[in-house]
Amino acid sequence: MSKATNILKQYWGYEQFRPLQEAIVEAVLAGQDTLALLPTGGGKSICFQVPAIALEGICIVVSPLIALMQDQVDQLTKRGIKAAAIYSGMHARQIDYLLDNCIYGDIKFLYVSPERLKTDLFIARAKQMKIALIAIDEAHCISQWGYDFRPPYLEIVQFKELFPDTPCIALTASANEEVKKDIVEKLALKKPKIFQKSFSRANLSYSILWEENKEERVLKMLEKIQGTAIVYVRNRKKTQEIAQFLSKNGVSADFYHAGLLPKQRIDKQQAWINNQCRVIVATNAFGMGIDKPDVRLVVHLDLPDSLEAYYQEAGRAGRDEKKAFACILVEEKDIIDLKTQFEKQFPEPETLKRTYQAISNFLQLAEGAGELAVFDFDWPEMSKRFNLSKTETYYAIKCLENEGLFVLNESTNIPSNLKINLSSTEMYDFQLRNPKFELLLKALLRLHGGVIYSEYVKIDELQIAQLLKSPLPEIERNLALLEKFEVLDYDKRSGHPKLTFLTPRASANDLPIQWNEYYDRKKRYFKKIEAIEHYVRQDIRCRTQQIVAYFGETLHKKCGLCDICINEKRANTGKAFPEGNPEAKELMLKYLQNGPVPLQTLVDCLRPLSPKEAIRTIQYYLDLGEIQIKEEIISKK
């Protein structure tokens, strides 16, 4: 452990581990299989990265998302730790080169997607590596009881069994009892040490506000709560609209979603992390792997799909353990929309079969062929060609992906990669004989240094074009020519997503889908929607108590911070609103515009106020003469 503590200080700058981190690292160093459940911001990555550095050999890290892999690799590289990632859509030569580096070089961490583990090439090369540790990130993906089930995760155990003496650590931020049992069973963990930090966040105040004018409410919240914030919305268009609204009203804001170019994403992230931008309005693509401890507010303008997803996203607030706020702004329409979307996420079998057939025809893929083949895939063009509904096709593709038939990667987020194949002497000779390419090659060396001779580097063609004052198409054309001359390997970023078939192309009428399990999964998913609906509707139980109970934990003491606890305190002390509640007044008058309403109806309309607090507020405005009551019927004065 002294060596591990020195590594923590050398690479991360921390003097000591957090209590649970230390116990997890100790278990991994002792060679024990481990399951670690730490909430968002709990420092999961350190739990496998530190012991892996301390151990002799390489750490294989299984991760489900390219963005997550890229971020982790970038973070390790910045700390001077050798790391690489292999994902669907990479150039075959680049994969071959990286695997050789893992065997003969000094790469310490290799990030891979779960489907990569079953390829013959990877298995053959992995057997030549000295694997010190296997880490399974986002381990809840292995469980059909979880909220983000990924069928390829079920095949991890087959790879793991090839290395029976190599310890394994599985990590996740959120898992209930069923999911925990599933992780241990499906990964065949041997007598695992299980570590779980409380799901309670003592510094985080959860609130639900029933609100129709959400934009104005966000503005008011940002006026009251100083510091950086994240506003989550469901679609890309809305990220821009809300960011523009905030900017027009004097709040420094920007938008973020998965469709942005790599440089755009990095620039926006860095501006926000460095406090040059106060608010980031984003889809759920934002936040994974981003370590910003001083976020004071996380607001959801759309309902999350599940309490697991909400817990992770809300948990990005207050990682510095100072008071922070997480709030969902909700109206009845949101619940209806969420249930409508749920139905779209589980298309009928005929829709899935029709979409799968269209994909196979579009890619001209014969039955029985295509396993692990990678294709540029313009699915909107496919929808147009085969006269399919875009919305229906989108959800069918996502569903087929979730069933493990293929993986669809947003390749627009993957930058181009390049490596020079010649020695420095050969390069000099080539430049003398081909002066046309001299400036381009010198620019590459100036931007990336000698490392470009020994490993693949990420390049930005636009940056090179601006440096040389040349048209972008000319730069791309010359790089392609240099690859043709075998001067370099050029893995050009595609403008289209890449689709990787995980199984041989099947007959559309005989898809490898277990329909009973499909419908069971649909029922389980609907229960998660019911859970999030119950969470936003209930106004009696402490929010933190409700969240931790969902994950199988009992919290005997109320948090004292959530909207329900605060309302209860006010009601009990008789100091609910000594000067009235203008927002409640405005809401009451709005409901009374169309005539008198029963007292109980008005109490219900004043959610999220508790019934006691609502009645106290109504009494306040009765006393002022703003409203009047007759036989339990309230009307405007």
Side-chain angles (χ1 to χ4, degrees), residues 42 60 173 204 306 316 321 335 345 383 406 500 566 577 584 620:
I60 304 290
L204 187 54
S306 66
R316 291 175 183 134
E321 300 186 2
I335 295 170
Q345 286 176 307
S383 303
F406 47 69
T500 306
I566 290 170
F577 294 100
Y620 179 89

Side-chain angles (χ1 to χ4, degrees), residues 343-361:
E343 290 298 334
K344 292 177 181 176
Q345 286 176 307
F346 288 88
E348 290 302 312
E350 286 307 312
T351 302
L352 294 179
K353 291 174 183 178
R354 182 168 61 250
T355 305
Y356 187 84
Q357 183 67 55
I359 291 170
S360 302
N361 292 346

Side-chain angles (χ1 to χ4, degrees), residues 534 538-550 553-555 558 562-565:
H534 176 71
Q538 75 90 25
D539 58 2
I540 298 170
R541 190 179 187 188
C542 163
R543 301 257 178 231
T544 300
Q545 284 184 329
Q546 187 181 352
I547 286 173
V548 302
Y550 180 80
E553 181 184 342
T554 301
L555 186 66
K558 295 179 180 179
C562 70
D563 56 338
I564 291 171
C565 287

Side-chain angles (χ1 to χ4, degrees), residues 48 83 92 121 184 193 308 321 348 385 392 400 419 473 483 511 525 537 558 635:
F48 70 86
L121 174 64
V184 172
K193 294 273 279 186
E308 289 98 332
E321 300 186 2
E348 290 302 312
R385 186 179 302 179
E392 190 177 83
L400 290 166
K419 177 179 145 335
E483 181 176 43
L511 292 179
Y525 195 91
R537 286 195 186 281
K558 295 179 180 179
S635 62

